[in-house]
Amino acid sequence: SQAMRGTELMIGEKPAIFLAPHAGNWELLGFFPTLMGFRMHALARPLDNPMLWKWALGKRESRGMRVITKFGATEELQEIVNSGGRIAFIADQNAGEDGIFVPYFGQMASAYKSIALFAIRYEMPVAVGVALRVGDGFNYAIHTMDIIRPEDWRDHDDPVFYVTARYTHAMERAVMLDPAQYLWIHRRWRSRPKWEREGKPLPDRIKAKLRTLPWIDDAAMARLEEDALRNGRELAGSAT
């Protein structure tokens, strides 16, 4: 089935990371495994409205999911890894100017380094999935888009860049299964890399990293270079 590879990882005895974009029903991806008896832990930022957060937290944890806030979560995550648990993230958010920039829909987008660093440190596989609505009723199909394993990044010169770029590419492919179900209102490309803010072209060191990605062909590289120049000019114009 479409979810088989992710299911096999779920029923294994070793810890793993599960990622999804804001597409389809991302809450279902965490809720459904707990109904089946699997231990699932989700890392989430508390909502700004405390009453709404209390309601959302109750719904998420009502069937056994454990929600961990991002504040001070390091020790809890280590305990989960040591006990063979599974950790879920929604991983398509803008990480600010200090994030790592990787391709996403033809533009460089800021992503959090922490997911790749965590996976590499504990040698945990990273699975990317999505639950997309089918038809008009409450029917969903779960798709496993990719599973990144330690042997995939072990020989890379910059494994953090590779893991981040690869799971971001998998999320892009998940969105393209049905673009209408994606939360496009999120300003994913708001933060721009240093070279664009300084009005410079795509650096050679970044080009070298991009060329290690099998899905970046000459046409994709050309688009990224053109986009960097255009954004740099626009940022320079807005600063004057």
Side-chain angles (χ1 to χ4, degrees):
S1 71
Q2 297 161 328
M4 183 58 69
R5 290 190 299 155
T7 303
E8 291 174 349
L9 195 63
M10 181 73 67
I11 64 178
E13 298 180 355
K14 295 183 179 180
I17 295 174
F18 294 84
L19 306 179
H22 283 94
N25 192 334
W26 56 88
E27 295 283 353
L28 184 65
L29 282 176
F31 191 72
F32 178 71
T34 60
L35 290 178
M36 303 298 291
F38 298 111
R39 291 187 301 133
M40 179 62 70
H41 305 78
L43 192 67
R45 183 184 73 83
L47 299 175
D48 295 332
N49 185 319
M51 298 299 293
L52 188 58
W53 170 246
K54 182 179 179 180
W55 175 85
L57 185 63
K59 290 294 183 181
R60 290 170 175 172
E61 294 189 331
S62 63
R63 297 296 181 179
M65 175 187 286
R66 180 182 172 195
V67 178
I68 303 168
T69 63
K70 292 183 179 179
F71 305 108
T74 303
E75 292 185 2
E76 290 181 85
L77 292 175
Q78 290 177 343
E79 292 176 1
I80 294 168
V81 171
N82 293 336
S83 64
R86 295 144 190 87
I87 305 169
F89 300 81
I90 300 297
D92 62 339
Q93 296 174 311
N94 173 40
E97 294 180 354
D98 293 329
I100 183 170
F101 284 84
V102 295
Y104 191 54
F105 286 101
Q107 295 191 52
M108 300 297 278
S110 176
Y112 289 101
K113 305 173 186 176
S114 54
I115 294 173
L117 289 170
F118 197 61
I120 293 168
R121 177 179 179 181
Y122 294 101
E123 293 203 323
M124 291 187 294
V126 179
V128 180
V130 65
L132 295 176
R133 185 177 61 254
V134 179
D136 296 328
F138 194 77
N139 300 300
Y140 288 85
I142 297 177
H143 305 260
T144 301
M145 305 306 301
D146 195 6
I147 297 179
I148 312 168
R149 302 184 185 275
E151 56 267 28
D152 297 331
W153 68 66
R154 204 164 278 145
D155 295 331
H156 278 265
D157 293 334
D158 190 341
V160 173
F161 179 84
Y162 174 76
V163 172
T164 307
R166 183 165 160 181
Y167 79 64
T168 301
H169 178 60
M171 290 193 298
E172 178 181 323
R173 292 190 291 111
V175 172
M176 290 306 297
L177 291 176
D178 191 342
Q181 295 192 44
Y182 188 51
L183 191 67
W184 290 102
I185 60 173
H186 179 62
R187 299 179 64 188
R188 185 69 174 85
W189 299 270
R190 178 180 57 189
S191 298
R192 304 314 308 151
K194 182 178 179 181
W195 59 85
E196 289 185 8
R197 301 196 305 271
E198 295 178 349
K200 297 178 180 179
L202 193 66
D204 290 340
R205 61 181 179 82
I206 301 299
K207 293 180 187 177
K209 293 181 181 182
L210 290 169
R211 291 191 180 98
T212 67
L213 306 177
W215 58 91
I216 298 296
D217 56 18
D218 291 340
M221 180 69 78
R223 287 195 299 271
L224 290 168
E225 291 183 82
E226 292 171 4
D227 181 74
L229 291 172
R230 182 180 64 255
N231 287 340
R233 289 194 296 266
E234 292 177 354
L235 289 171
S238 64
T240 58

